[in-house]
Amino acid sequence: MLARLTTLLLLAATLAATAQDYTAEQLLAGVKAARPSGGIYARLRMSHTPAGSTKPEILQVQVKRRIAPNGHSEHLYQLLFPANRKGEGLLLKISDGQFTGSSHSPSSGTKTLQPSDRSLGLFATTLSIDDVIAEFLDWPSQTLTGTENLGNIPCHIIESKAPASSKSTARLVRSWIDAKRFVTQKMQVFGSDTTRPLKTVLTEKVLRNKTGYYLPVTFTVTDTATGAQTTVEGVRSDSDLTFPDTAFTPEALQTLTTAP
Amino acid sequence: MTLLQLTLKNLSRRRVRTALTIMGIGLGIGAVVALLGLAWGLEASWTDAYKVRKTDLVVRRSGGGLIAQPFPDSASEQVAQIPGVSQVASLLTEVLSIESVPMMVVSGRQWQSFLWENLKIVSGRLPTSADEKVVVLGTLAAEMLEKKPGDKITIEIDEFEVVGIADGGAVVENGAIMISLPLLQGVMQKDKMVNFINVRLDPKSRDPHTVSQVIQQHIPGCRVDIAEEVLSQSDGVKTFKAMNWGTSIIALLVGTFGVMNTMFMSVFERTREIGILLALGWKRSRILRMILLESVTLCFAAGIVGIIAGIALLKILTLMPWMQGRIEPQITIELLSLALGLAIAVGVASGLYPALHCTRINPSLAIRQV
Amino acid sequence: MPSPSAANAPLLEIDDVRREFDDGQVLALRGVNLTIHEGEYVAIMGSSGSGKSTLLSLLGALDTPNSGEIRYRGQSLSSYPDLGQFRAKHLGFIFQSFLLLPTLTALENVLVPMFEMPWSRPERQRRAAELLEAVGMGHRLNHMPEKLSGGERQRVAIARSLANEPSILLADEPTGNLDTQNAAQIMDLLRSVHHQRKNTMILVTHDPAIAKTADRIITMRDGQVVEDTQTHPHTAIS
Ligand SMILES: Nc1ncnc2c1ncn2[C@@H]1O[C@H](COP(=O)(O)OP(=O)(O)OP(=O)(O)O)[C@@H](O)[C@H]1O
Ligand SMILES: [Mg+2]
């Protein structure tokens, strides 16, 4: 009786194990699939604690995003609050890990982004353009290096190595992916020194969207060198929107409009 | 010397045990005070909101979970036509992150509707027209946002001037930003959309249940809540209250057994003394009264301790940033008397068995005990 | 003050009383017959385990017999609805180990039996103080029992036994825990109480000298009365 029970348990365990045996590519595909394909409008509340400070600075931000007809990913970030910085904005057009775009501020006008602006913080937070592009998802070298429980969430650890051609400041990205919900729970971004991460990203809250995918809605980006931290919190969002092409032009940076 | 004095002497014999027992049941009573205070507060804060607005019925779209889904404002005209309805006022209510406050209710109110009547201006003024680009803040909202009349406030992409701070007479009102309906519809790009219609009934009209049925028939897909019942009927509140009662009862049960244990220990070690009292002619009913009085006194003291602890806990909770503007705990005479009543009931319940045990003591055997 | 005729009347009648313990394994009293008269001073003697205390418990209505009957002034104790009330009205107890309530002062100990008496609070206080005064403890009213000597404790216990003005005093080896000198003083006190109050006193003792001071000596063995001698003529009869 006991012997049969043990066999049964072992069998069940093996089955469960095989069901969870993903490849790194499958996991990343899962994470990418969760990203909405249609246009989205999101309101973020960012709370940025600069290095050496304890008092967070609150930023209210609106984000518009779409996949343009040419397949490029287009992002528009605009600052709503604090009032003295209202209207600051960033436009990004991303393809193949490369980006073009403009930045805008009411006082100094619109500027075209240079490739060197890649590590620029979004509204001077620890969240950089490089992070937003998240190019590492497409890097060819992806290895599953192990599993670890974060809290009570079992995660697979994937190491993504940058190819020589990549312009990203990140040379290695280690991600902890919750394989049940395909949500990145934690990330470490390394430069050439692969012992000390440049940045860590920690997911704090995950929500299920209308289409049934899970998305991180609150996460914190920490600059490990300075200790500066930015917590990004999704306040609300609208998906499946259709934006006109004019919504992602340098001119669009100069006006504030909400979701269409 | 009275029975009470005797009781106090008996209780003070084992001070540590008495104190620990009081703490034990006191915590239970404290939990009751805190949990019920919250539950009642939650209920009161919402029913209050409708009470201060003198709203009898609330029409909304059925389904849609926690956040009420918008629907065309034209429905309000239909509702106004229904017999028994005296006044209607439409609302667009949004929960937004405003400046540094993570979540705040923004209440877009139909201009010149009764929804502006209950706002007592504390400082500044009300808007002068529907499209004056201004807002009025509830007193709590003003505190949280750190604004005063004359300040600017950013709501989504637009900037408004704070013209007044108002006391709405209910926590839900005071924690909100009041703005004229068309302005909020503009900000949210929800032209001519609302998510609530507040209805006032004719004082002499048919009862709210009938009117609400008629509204439901006239406007497909809507749900009508009777203001007085809104909260007590909501599943969330029902669960919240059930959970609070459940927790309270468990806390009290644990406490009851604690007191019973203490009383049993105390009567067991006093078997001989009780035998002496019986030998000296004490009636069994007097022994019963003495033991009951001991456990009731114990629990009464615990009730006082619990009430103080519960109030303290609620005060601490109200100071928490995430509680502000959501629930104002209700510390009412009813709650305190309920807590004290429960304490005494626990005292009787836990003392009865040990006391009955005492009355069955055989004095000659008890006296023999060494 | 009992009249001579009343004094001759039987106060307590014990009629073939049996008491067994442990389901009949211990036969503590095996058919006791006795009549005790009003105002008598009776000493009960006997070896250890002979049933003296058991008999006293039954006489004091602290316990009930397995068979037989005890009558008080002709009325069976089993017919009393509340033996507590009977004790409260008619009985005073004195024990070998004093049995004072440890948390109460001397005065409070004397007040305890008065809970059942229909007296006002000041009246009780006055009576309790008077009683303690009478037993020579007037200077120790507010002392706790643990602060008193054995002899003093027994005095308080005697005062307490008198608190309800009992017609019968039952004392189970009242001097058993005392040294000779204290024992003698306590016995003097008890005898003077008996003389002054003229109540019935039943006293269990191992001391023949003490027993000799009684009007009557009852000797027990193995749960039975084996000897019953009148040493002095009953005071009330003489
Ligand atoms: N509750 C009881 N359970 C069992 N046996 C008992 C109980 N009470 C008394 N006995 C027994 O009954 C007998 C008479 O006991 P009792 O206490 O009356 O003796 P006593 O004459 O008072 O002795 P002593 O002089 O030692 O006080 C003894 O054998 C005693 O062991
Ligand atoms: Mg004895």
Side-chain angles (χ1 to χ4, degrees):
Chain A
M1 179 67 208
L2 200 68
R4 276 177 68 183
L5 203 71
T6 344
T7 334
L8 211 70
L9 278 174
L10 274 175
L11 195 72
T14 348
L15 279 175
T18 41
Q20 298 251 303
D21 257 359
Y22 297 104
T23 62
E25 285 72 23
Q26 283 171 322
L27 281 169
L28 290 177
V31 172
K32 281 196 271 189
R35 299 185 158 186
S37 49
I40 59 168
Y41 171 87
R43 274 280 283 102
L44 307 180
R45 178 174 185 269
M46 295 167 78
S47 112
H48 176 62
T49 316
S53 162
T54 52
K55 198 177 176 296
E57 187 185 326
I58 308 292
L59 309 174
Q60 298 283 0
V61 174
Q62 72 171 17
V63 186
K64 292 173 184 169
R65 249 159 113 155
R66 70 160 187 174
I67 307 290
N70 61 7
H72 294 187
S73 180
E74 298 182 326
H75 299 186
L76 183 75
Y77 299 89
Q78 287 175 300
L79 194 66
L80 309 179
F81 177 84
N84 59 349
R85 292 175 62 191
K86 186 177 177 182
E88 282 183 22
L90 188 74
L91 172 69
L92 289 177
K93 301 196 175 207
I94 304 153
S95 83
D96 282 339
Q98 309 290 326
F99 71 96
T100 56
S102 323
S103 69
H104 174 83
S105 101
S107 51
S108 50
T110 309
K111 274 188 243 160
T112 307
L113 292 176
Q114 302 304 311
S116 57
D117 291 332
R118 195 178 251 278
S119 51
L120 208 67
L122 184 65
F123 305 120
T125 67
T126 52
L127 185 73
S128 66
I129 293 179
D130 205 19
D131 300 332
V132 168
I133 298 173
E135 179 198 338
F136 70 93
L137 289 172
D138 299 317
W139 287 341
S141 165
Q142 308 282 359
T143 8
L144 203 63
T145 59
T147 56
E148 191 188 341
N149 280 16
L150 292 182
N152 50 7
I153 304 171
C155 291
H156 291 262
I157 305 172
I158 293 178
E159 285 192 0
S160 315
K161 280 206 186 67
S165 60
S166 167
K167 299 278 189 298
S168 173
T169 44
R171 302 327 295 166
L172 172 74
V173 178
R174 194 175 288 148
S175 324
W176 280 254
I177 294 170
D178 167 359
K180 272 208 198 96
R181 302 184 296 179
F182 293 116
V183 178
T184 310
Q185 291 292 342
K186 179 177 158 182
M187 266 165 53
Q188 289 179 330
V189 180
F190 297 88
S192 41
D193 176 1
T194 56
T195 57
R196 233 185 98 87
L198 299 172
K199 261 181 201 174
T200 59
V201 182
L202 214 64
T203 299
E204 278 144 36
K205 194 168 148 195
V206 173
L207 275 187
R208 196 176 181 168
N209 71 7
K210 277 182 219 147
T211 47
Y213 286 109
Y214 290 92
L215 285 169
V217 285
T218 307
F219 58 90
T220 298
V221 185
T222 309
D223 184 331
T224 41
T226 64
Q229 268 194 347
T230 303
T231 299
V232 182
E233 191 184 334
V235 178
R236 65 189 178 91
S237 72
D238 253 334
S239 51
D240 288 329
L241 303 174
T242 316
F243 290 102
D245 290 343
T246 52
F248 296 95
T249 55
E251 291 70 44
L253 276 171
Q254 289 162 27
T255 51
L256 278 170
T257 56
T258 51
Chain B
M1 193 177 50
T2 62
L3 205 58
L4 185 64
Q5 283 169 322
L6 202 65
T7 297
L8 294 178
K9 279 185 193 237
N10 283 332
L11 288 175
S12 61
R13 213 186 294 199
R14 303 262 180 165
R15 285 166 206 278
V16 175
R17 183 169 70 193
T18 301
L20 287 177
T21 310
I22 289 178
M23 289 307 285
I25 182 72
L27 276 184
I29 299 288
V32 172
V33 170
L35 292 172
L36 293 185
L38 277 185
W40 292 8
L42 176 73
E43 202 165 13
S45 61
W46 283 91
T47 34
D48 274 3
Y50 290 126
K51 227 178 264 167
V52 295
R53 291 180 193 165
K54 297 197 180 68
T55 292
D56 300 311
L57 302 178
V58 182
V59 183
R60 55 182 287 185
R61 223 168 95 169
S62 60
L66 222 60
I67 294 160
Q69 296 301 308
F71 54 86
D73 195 9
S74 51
S76 71
E77 284 145 42
Q78 280 174 275
V79 174
Q81 301 304 311
I82 288 166
V85 172
S86 87
Q87 275 175 293
V88 296
S90 10
L91 262 172
L92 177 64
T93 301
E94 298 280 346
V95 179
L96 301 174
S97 178
I98 306 286
E99 303 199 342
S100 49
V101 179
M103 263 165 107
M104 184 163 271
V105 173
V106 183
S107 171
R109 301 171 173 220
Q110 184 181 338
W111 186 244
Q112 286 179 331
S113 73
F114 64 79
L115 291 174
W116 294 91
E117 286 168 13
N118 65 301
L119 303 179
K120 281 194 209 69
I121 288 295
V122 174
S123 69
R125 57 171 177 87
L126 285 178
T128 47
S129 73
D131 32 47
E132 193 193 15
K133 262 197 111 168
V134 296
V135 298
V136 172
L137 303 182
T139 46
L140 258 172
E143 234 171 79
M144 289 197 281
L145 290 161
E146 296 172 6
K147 300 277 182 198
K148 53 185 188 315
D151 288 348
K152 299 271 185 251
I153 184 169
T154 309
I155 300 178
E156 299 303 290
I157 63 167
D158 283 324
E159 193 170 82
F160 297 85
E161 188 189 332
V162 176
V163 285
I165 292 168
D167 179 357
V171 193
V172 188
E173 299 278 275
N174 289 346
I177 299 177
M178 269 69 70
I179 182 169
S180 90
L181 178 62
L183 285 184
L184 187 61
Q185 285 169 334
V187 171
M188 300 310 295
Q189 307 234 340
K190 289 179 180 164
D191 201 20
K192 302 230 162 28
M193 300 297 269
V194 296
N195 48 16
F196 292 103
I197 301 171
N198 282 13
V199 177
R200 276 185 187 175
L201 296 180
D202 243 321
K204 324 179 273 295
S205 91
R206 292 172 289 176
D207 79 307
H209 292 270
T210 331
V211 181
S212 91
Q213 268 166 17
V214 178
I215 297 176
Q216 250 149 356
Q217 280 159 13
H218 274 68
I219 303 167
C222 85
R223 190 178 104 188
V224 185
D225 293 320
I226 292 154
E228 282 170 3
E229 300 168 2
V230 161
L231 224 72
S232 48
Q233 299 216 329
S234 103
D235 284 343
V237 170
K238 271 188 202 158
T239 333
F240 186 64
K241 281 171 88 177
M243 267 168 50
N244 285 356
W245 268 113
T247 320
S248 302
I249 286 170
I250 290 170
L252 285 180
L253 267 184
V254 171
T256 305
F257 284 112
V259 177
M260 205 185 278
N261 179 46
T262 299
M263 290 312 297
F264 254 120
M265 275 167 64
S266 148
V267 301
F268 278 144
E269 61 188 31
R270 276 163 37 205
T271 303
R272 195 177 193 204
E273 281 179 46
I274 290 161
I276 298 172
L277 290 174
L278 285 168
L280 296 179
W282 271 37
K283 288 201 213 64
R284 289 182 189 265
S285 63
R286 191 180 303 276
I287 307 266
L288 184 98
R289 282 209 314 267
M290 180 180 78
I291 304 296
L292 273 185
L293 194 62
E294 273 179 40
S295 81
V296 168
T297 309
L298 204 64
C299 291
F300 185 82
I304 305 287
V305 169
I307 284 174
I308 293 169
I311 291 177
L313 197 66
L314 285 177
K315 289 281 178 225
I316 293 169
L317 279 179
T318 29
L319 292 181
M320 297 289 161
W322 46 267
M323 273 278 297
Q324 272 174 15
R326 304 221 176 136
I327 310 178
E328 176 85 348
Q330 289 262 307
I331 304 170
T332 56
I333 292 296
E334 283 91 341
L335 179 63
L336 301 190
S337 11
L338 178 72
L340 218 49
L342 280 173
I344 290 169
V346 166
V348 173
S350 51
L352 204 57
Y353 189 34
L356 282 173
H357 165 85
C358 283
T359 63
R360 285 194 292 268
I361 286 176
N362 175 326
S364 82
L365 297 185
I367 289 171
R368 264 175 181 273
Q369 265 185 23
V370 187
Chain C
M1 171 125 176
S3 69
S5 65
N8 286 319
L11 180 69
L12 284 167
E13 292 164 283
I14 297 115
D15 201 353
D16 195 26
V17 161
R18 289 164 197 274
R19 179 69 170 108
E20 45 193 54
F21 294 105
D22 299 338
D23 295 324
Q25 285 179 25
V26 180
L27 300 174
L29 295 180
R30 329 173 167 218
V32 171
N33 292 287
L34 268 181
T35 304
I36 290 164
H37 295 275
E38 186 107 46
E40 255 185 325
Y41 167 19
V42 183
I44 302 177
M45 293 196 70
S47 55
S48 185
S50 56
K52 305 180 296 289
S53 297
T54 307
L55 179 61
L56 216 62
S57 287
L58 294 177
L59 292 178
L62 293 175
D63 197 8
T64 48
N66 292 84
S67 70
E69 198 180 51
I70 299 172
R71 287 185 296 275
Y72 175 80
R73 293 192 205 277
Q75 193 188 346
S76 171
L77 287 193
S78 60
S79 70
Y80 277 85
D82 184 356
L83 287 176
Q85 207 172 346
F86 174 73
R87 289 193 293 270
K89 260 198 193 138
H90 307 293
L91 295 173
F93 290 92
I94 301 159
F95 305 94
Q96 177 176 355
S97 49
F98 325 128
L99 299 188
L100 296 177
L101 295 168
T103 49
L104 305 183
T105 62
L107 187 75
E108 288 167 339
N109 262 290
V110 179
L111 283 168
V112 167
M114 297 189 189
F115 267 88
E116 301 292 344
M117 306 309 286
W119 301 324
S120 70
R121 200 119 64 102
E123 164 98 9
R124 289 176 196 187
Q125 296 280 341
R126 185 183 59 72
R127 280 172 180 264
E130 266 175 26
L131 282 168
L132 283 166
E133 195 75 48
V135 300
M137 292 295 293
H139 59 305
R140 291 276 189 274
L141 297 185
N142 297 314
H143 276 57
M144 302 305 283
E146 57 181 21
K147 299 272 164 64
L148 299 174
S149 75
E152 287 175 321
R153 287 184 208 185
Q154 198 59 301
R155 284 166 191 275
V156 175
I158 291 171
R160 181 179 68 179
S161 74
L162 299 171
N164 57 340
E165 304 193 311
S167 52
I168 308 172
L169 264 186
L170 299 170
D172 195 348
E173 299 182 45
T175 58
N177 279 7
L178 301 175
D179 58 50
T180 339
Q181 199 192 337
N182 267 310
Q185 287 175 1
I186 289 296
M187 278 317 299
D188 286 346
L189 176 60
L190 278 176
R191 275 192 299 271
S192 75
V193 163
H194 172 65
H195 275 292
Q196 279 169 23
R197 303 194 173 231
K198 301 277 182 286
N199 46 16
T200 310
M201 183 154 85
I202 305 171
L203 179 132
V204 171
T205 181
H206 281 286
D207 186 343
I210 291 176
K212 278 204 194 84
T213 64
D215 304 334
R216 179 179 170 194
I217 304 175
I218 290 166
T219 312
M220 295 188 68
R221 190 181 306 141
D222 288 338
Q224 282 178 316
V225 174
V226 290
E227 231 185 286
D228 189 343
T229 34
Q230 202 81 25
T231 46
H232 303 272
H234 184 1
T235 37
I237 298 170
S238 61

